């Protein structure tokens, strides 16, 4: 039982490190260039998928703790690490951020206006939104929108 617990804790540690690097790439190459006013910790905390995190924690923990062939373990961990750190490359980090955070061609309505454009980031209280008609980035308050 303790070896299972050790494997899970090891997996959580390494998955947390990989998760941090993934969101760092998104923050540096998607959030910063679009000038979205967002603190890194909020991005990291609000956009976690617990199912994916637990899956990788179990997978990596099992791999490190139970697989005896060091070459296989090192190869797989290195490949995953290489994939995640590729988000630190500007073009790749932007594409990952766009894939995970952007919603294209959406429509929001409030009491007075209809907004059509791209939602760059949907935060806790506000949406960073590129309006096609205005041709600029605006902030929409979630509580003022009718269809959110």
């Amino acid at each position: 039982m303790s070896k299972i617990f050790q494997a899970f804790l090891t997996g959580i540690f390494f998955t947390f490190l990989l998760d941090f690097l993934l969101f760092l790439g998104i923050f540096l190459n998607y959030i910063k260039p679009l000038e979205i006013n967002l603190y890194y910790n909020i991005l990291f905390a609000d956009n976690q998928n617990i199912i994916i995190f637990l899956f990788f924690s179990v997978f990596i923990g099992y791999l490190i703790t139970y697989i005896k062939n060091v070459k296989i373990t090192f190869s797989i961990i290195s490949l995953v690490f290489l994939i995640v750190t590729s988000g630190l490359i500007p073009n790749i980090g932007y594409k990952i951020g766009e894939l995970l955070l952007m919603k294209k061609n959406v429509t929001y309505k409030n009491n007075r206006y209809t907004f059509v454009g791209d939602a760059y980031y949907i935060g806790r209280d506000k949406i960073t939104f590129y309006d096609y008609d205005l041709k600029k980035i605006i902030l929409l308050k979630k509580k003022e929108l009718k269809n959110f």
Side-chain angles (χ1 to χ4, degrees), residues 43-59:
L43 171 72
F44 188 74
D46 288 357
N47 295 289
Q48 293 298 317
N49 187 324
I50 192 69
I51 295 169
I52 294 173
F53 185 83
L54 289 176
F55 170 77
F56 276 102
S57 295
V58 169
F59 175 72

Side-chain angles (χ1 to χ4, degrees), residues 8-143:
F8 187 65
L9 288 180
T10 303
I12 287 176
F13 173 75
F14 280 101
T15 303
F16 183 77
L17 178 65
L18 294 171
D19 205 27
F20 170 80
L21 291 170
L22 175 72
F23 280 101
L24 181 63
I26 292 170
F27 184 74
L28 293 175
N29 300 310
Y30 180 78
I31 299 293
K32 287 283 187 183
L34 293 176
E35 297 177 356
I36 299 171
N37 188 16
L38 180 67
Y39 188 58
Y40 177 78
N41 290 348
I42 294 171
L43 171 72
F44 188 74
D46 288 357
N47 295 289
Q48 293 298 317
N49 187 324
I50 192 69
I51 295 169
I52 294 173
F53 185 83
L54 289 176
F55 170 77
F56 276 102
S57 295
V58 169
F59 175 72
I60 291 173
Y62 175 81
L63 193 67
I64 291 172
T65 306
Y66 288 104
I67 302 296
K68 301 297 181 201
N69 191 337
V70 177
K71 289 181 181 180
I72 292 173
T73 302
F74 183 74
S75 298
I76 293 172
I77 296 294
S78 296
L79 179 65
V80 170
F81 185 77
L82 184 65
I83 290 169
V84 169
T85 56
S86 69
L88 296 172
I89 299 169
N91 291 338
I92 297 172
Y94 184 85
K95 288 292 185 187
I96 294 170
E98 189 177 59
L99 179 72
L100 295 177
L101 303 175
M102 182 187 281
K103 291 185 179 180
K104 293 188 177 208
N105 199 21
V106 292
T107 302
Y108 295 117
K109 296 178 184 178
N110 66 10
N111 290 335
R112 300 172 67 192
Y113 302 107
T114 299
F115 304 98
V116 178
D118 298 333
Y120 284 164
Y121 181 76
I122 299 173
R124 293 177 181 176
D125 300 322
K126 296 179 181 177
I127 299 172
T128 304
F129 188 80
Y130 178 80
D131 192 287
Y132 293 155
D133 294 332
L134 298 174
K135 293 185 173 54
K136 69 177 191 175
I137 296 174
I138 57 174
L139 292 176
L140 303 174
K141 293 180 183 176
K142 280 182 167 180
K143 62 183 176 184

